[in-house]
Amino acid sequence: MFIQTESTPNPATLKFLPGQTVLEVGTADFPSAEAAEASPLAKRVFALSGVTGVFLGNDFVTVTKDADVEWDHMKPSILGAIMEHFQSGQPVMGDTGAAASGHAEHTGEDGEIVDQIKELLDTRVRPAVAQDGGDITFHGFDRGVVYLHMQGACAGCPSSTITLKMGIENLLRHYIPEVTEVRPVGV
């Protein structure tokens, strides 16, 4: 098994590509070791010193590290943990863990606008953000403001504000006149 790595715009996060499917559907974000209980793979990576976050996508694992540790010291251990997991035959997600597609439900008078927002996020934004080892999930729409949650490499990324404001906000405002602003939410 050969695992490739890619840097992300977030210097504290590295993207690992095992060359096979990680999650069949959706994504899974583990911002802490406690949250990783649902995933044998994430638990194995969190067992390594210096790991502060694990994010699983369709064909990648994004790992966030503590600022005090260098990638040169962590990368071999992470590669080993990912390789061991896939060779063990264990599932990526346990029985209790289901991957989330990352969409809040929204009904009511803004339902049609929300459907348009979700469609643009799914077709234009999420694939691009996945290239950087992250995901963006919809959390709501209220009085022209779209609320999004950034995950994986996008969470805590120095350029995340620019991505939200200059990229996603401009895209949504262009196609959906009812959108006036995009704001991040923490979960």
Side-chain angles (χ1 to χ4, degrees):
M1 172 179 231
F2 179 71
I3 302 172
Q4 294 180 309
T5 59
E6 290 180 3
S7 59
T8 72
N10 184 347
T13 304
L14 200 58
K15 184 176 174 182
F16 295 83
L17 298 131
Q20 64 188 68
T21 300
V22 176
L23 285 181
E24 293 286 338
V25 178
T27 60
D29 189 27
F30 304 103
S32 68
E34 294 76 31
E37 289 300 314
S39 169
L41 172 57
K43 272 176 42 175
R44 190 181 297 246
V45 175
F46 264 110
L48 304 172
S49 178
V51 173
T52 61
V54 176
F55 181 81
L56 307 176
N58 174 257
D59 63 349
F60 65 89
V61 177
T62 302
V63 178
T64 304
K65 70 172 183 64
D66 191 320
D68 299 338
V69 187
E70 295 298 321
W71 279 119
D72 291 343
H73 300 295
M74 291 188 69
K75 194 169 149 182
S77 301
I78 295 169
L79 288 166
I82 293 170
M83 189 175 298
E84 284 173 16
H85 176 80
F86 281 105
Q87 290 175 341
S88 76
Q90 281 189 298
V92 171
M93 298 295 291
D95 293 337
T96 58
S101 65
H103 283 312
E105 292 304 314
H106 190 98
T107 56
E109 63 186 58
D110 294 332
E112 191 173 313
I113 295 168
V114 169
D115 288 345
Q116 291 174 340
I117 292 167
K118 288 180 181 180
E119 176 71 19
L120 281 170
L121 289 174
D122 285 344
T123 59
R124 301 269 184 114
V125 178
R126 293 178 84 199
V129 172
Q131 289 290 313
D132 288 338
D135 197 11
I136 292 184
T137 57
F138 175 82
H139 272 266
F141 176 73
D142 184 36
R143 297 187 199 130
V145 180
V146 176
Y147 295 92
L148 302 175
H149 177 60
M150 302 183 93
Q151 299 175 313
C154 298
C157 177
S159 61
S160 65
T161 302
I162 294 168
T163 299
L164 270 180
K165 290 293 180 186
M166 303 307 289
I168 300 167
E169 184 176 292
N170 286 342
L171 175 80
L172 292 177
R173 288 174 68 183
H174 176 78
Y175 288 103
I176 307 167
E178 294 85 354
V179 173
T180 59
E181 185 182 358
V182 172
R183 293 185 193 162
V185 295
V187 172

